[in-house]
Amino acid sequence: MKFLTVIGARPQFIKAAPVSRELRKLHTEIYVHTGQHYDKNMSDIFFDELNIPKPDYHLNVGSSTHGKQTANMLEGIEQIIFDEKPDYLLVYGDTNSTIAGAMAAAKLHIPVIHIEAGLRSFNKRMPEEINRIMTDHISEYLFCPTDTAVQNLKNENVTRNVFNVGDVMYDAVLYNRNLSKEKSTILTDHRLEKGEYYLITVHRAENTDDPANIKNIIEAFSKIEGKKVWPIHPRTRNILSGMGLDLSLVPDLQVIDPVGYLDILSLVSNAKKIITDSGGMQKEAYFLEIPCVTLREQTEWVETLEDEANILTGTDVGKILEAIQKDVRPSYKDYFGDGQASAKIVQHFNKEV
């Protein structure tokens, strides 16, 4: 069988790696990289580190408005479908690359496979929420990471070809964490000690594009005592610069360029706490049993909230500081499966070979 896989953002590269390892044992897979993340440190390094095959097609869409970016992806993916004639089109998560790939395939009657289906934050102001809802409702196969995701789909009357296989990101963490210990030098490079720093990531539009929200976040960072490390997203860096926000004024904040996956695993697993608005980072913290403070009002990963392993604060300075002070010791529970999600997904299609 021939699978056309559409990816375009850092989390999708990570999720695609374990699935591709299984898929290519018996099937043909064609990679389409939309170019949604195009910076070398947000894209190329992940293909090198994770041994992901280089993309067969690169659309180079770059950064733009949601409408223009998605339209350019749609046009490019549609032509590739005409040329490659795949049996299935596979998408991950909730980005513009996800919805563009799903829409292009569905309108050409190519069955869509959605990995990480059924997630809901119940906040339709988030573009990711719109993308994941639309993708779920036009997909033929929906592979969910948790029981909660399956129930979310059931609540929307989506029950056909819905499977809880676990989380492919957990597969990736288990596969790469020892490799990270062997190969990553990020701690020594930046003179970091285990348990002595907070790891920060902020990139969601609801925070970065709202001046009040991002100013609150920076104010909170200024009041958090101790070393803080922020591998900053290029888009976030540009927005802060445009607002005149000078991160050099934040005490004990070390701003670094985006890093690869092995370095991220090392930074997460050795951090005192994670402070983030990223969905993927919430899970990585949970998988590695590191406390997490999430700068959002809702999360699609509700399982991580148990025992305050992950605490939602929004951008309220007081709530952020209160969450930072809590003594939390997370322990992984198997809500996200056993680390064999990728194999379980591919087994559904091996019978067709």
Side-chain angles (χ1 to χ4, degrees):
M1 307 297 291
K2 181 187 281 191
F3 293 76
L4 189 68
T5 296
V6 177
I7 52 179
R10 169 196 178 274
Q12 293 169 332
F13 310 146
I14 296 167
K15 296 165 193 169
V19 176
S20 288
R21 275 195 298 272
E22 294 295 330
L23 194 61
R24 293 181 182 228
K25 291 177 181 178
L26 291 176
H27 305 278
T28 299
E29 184 182 30
I30 306 295
Y31 263 149
V32 178
H33 185 346
T34 65
Q36 184 171 336
H37 280 176
Y38 50 89
D39 181 271
K40 177 175 173 55
N41 287 336
M42 297 294 290
S43 175
D44 295 353
I45 190 171
F46 288 89
F47 287 88
D48 295 336
E49 285 189 340
L50 301 176
N51 286 324
I52 307 172
K54 295 296 190 233
D56 300 279
Y57 296 91
H58 203 309
L59 300 181
N60 297 302
V61 298
S63 181
S64 187
T65 64
H66 285 284
K68 184 175 181 180
Q69 188 182 68
T70 307
N72 288 340
M73 293 176 185
L74 263 169
E75 182 179 15
I77 295 166
E78 181 182 65
Q79 185 57 54
I80 294 168
I81 291 174
F82 285 139
D83 294 341
E84 292 289 346
K85 299 177 177 56
D87 298 294
Y88 299 96
L89 185 135
L90 193 157
V91 292
Y92 294 86
D94 53 22
T95 69
N96 288 343
S97 300
T98 307
I99 187 59
M103 287 178 63
K107 291 190 175 186
L108 294 174
H109 309 296
I110 303 298
V112 176
I113 301 165
H114 188 199
I115 294 178
E116 208 175 74
L119 302 183
R120 297 292 182 268
S121 68
F122 303 101
N123 178 7
K124 289 187 179 179
R125 292 183 62 83
M126 293 175 59
E128 296 87 354
E129 185 79 350
I130 301 301
N131 290 342
R132 58 174 76 114
I133 290 171
M134 293 177 64
T135 301
D136 283 339
H137 283 265
I138 57 177
S139 292
E140 181 66 21
Y141 292 90
L142 300 100
F143 293 105
C144 299
T146 63
D147 286 335
T148 303
V150 172
Q151 185 60 48
N152 288 339
L153 292 173
K154 187 176 181 180
N155 292 344
E156 297 172 11
N157 296 316
V158 179
T159 57
R160 182 172 176 271
N161 289 334
V162 174
F163 309 97
N164 179 6
V165 293
D167 197 315
V168 296
M169 237 175 145
Y170 188 43
D171 296 15
V173 167
L174 293 180
Y175 186 87
N176 288 288
R177 63 182 177 183
N178 288 333
L179 195 61
S180 171
K181 291 177 184 177
E182 294 171 12
K183 293 193 172 184
S184 175
T185 61
I186 192 76
L187 297 187
T188 55
D189 291 347
H190 294 284
R191 298 179 181 178
L192 301 172
E193 298 290 337
K194 180 178 177 64
E196 297 296 324
Y197 63 90
Y198 297 96
L199 177 63
I200 292 169
T201 71
V202 182
H203 74 274
R204 287 193 179 265
E206 64 192 276
N207 286 331
T208 59
D209 294 5
D210 185 314
N213 283 353
I214 195 64
K215 287 177 182 177
N216 279 352
I217 289 170
I218 301 303
E219 180 184 347
F221 292 168
S222 297
K223 294 180 177 180
I224 296 171
E225 296 182 1
K227 181 170 282 191
K228 298 165 284 284
V229 180
W230 188 351
I232 197 164
H233 193 293
R235 180 177 177 275
T236 304
R237 187 192 289 273
N238 291 337
I239 289 172
L240 294 178
S241 177
M243 290 183 183
L245 295 173
D246 187 354
L247 294 180
S248 68
L249 300 177
V250 178
D252 294 319
L253 176 63
Q254 191 171 354
V255 177
I256 64 176
D257 289 333
V259 298
Y261 186 53
L262 299 183
D263 284 341
I264 279 290
L265 286 182
S266 181
L267 286 172
V268 172
S269 60
N270 289 287
K272 184 175 183 178
K273 281 190 179 181
I274 310 301
I275 310 171
T276 189
D277 62 5
S278 161
M281 189 68 73
Q282 293 173 60
K283 287 192 298 176
E284 286 163 347
Y286 185 72
F287 297 157
L288 295 166
E289 301 185 335
I290 302 297
C292 186
V293 175
T294 296
L295 309 172
R296 290 165 53 184
E297 300 289 349
Q298 309 92 5
T299 180
E300 56 274 27
W301 303 110
V302 294
E303 293 81 6
T304 66
L305 301 178
E306 186 172 302
D307 299 326
E308 295 188 313
N310 181 19
I311 300 175
L312 301 179
T313 64
T315 59
D316 183 279
V317 176
K319 289 181 179 179
I320 295 170
L321 297 177
E322 182 183 350
I324 287 295
Q325 294 301 318
K326 289 197 174 184
D327 183 16
V328 179
R329 302 178 190 277
S331 177
Y332 177 75
K333 298 180 177 64
D334 61 356
Y335 299 122
F336 298 91
D338 58 4
Q340 298 297 318
S342 303
K344 292 174 184 177
I345 290 167
V346 174
Q347 284 170 9
H348 284 273
F349 304 99
N350 285 347
K351 59 177 179 274
E352 300 181 30
V353 177

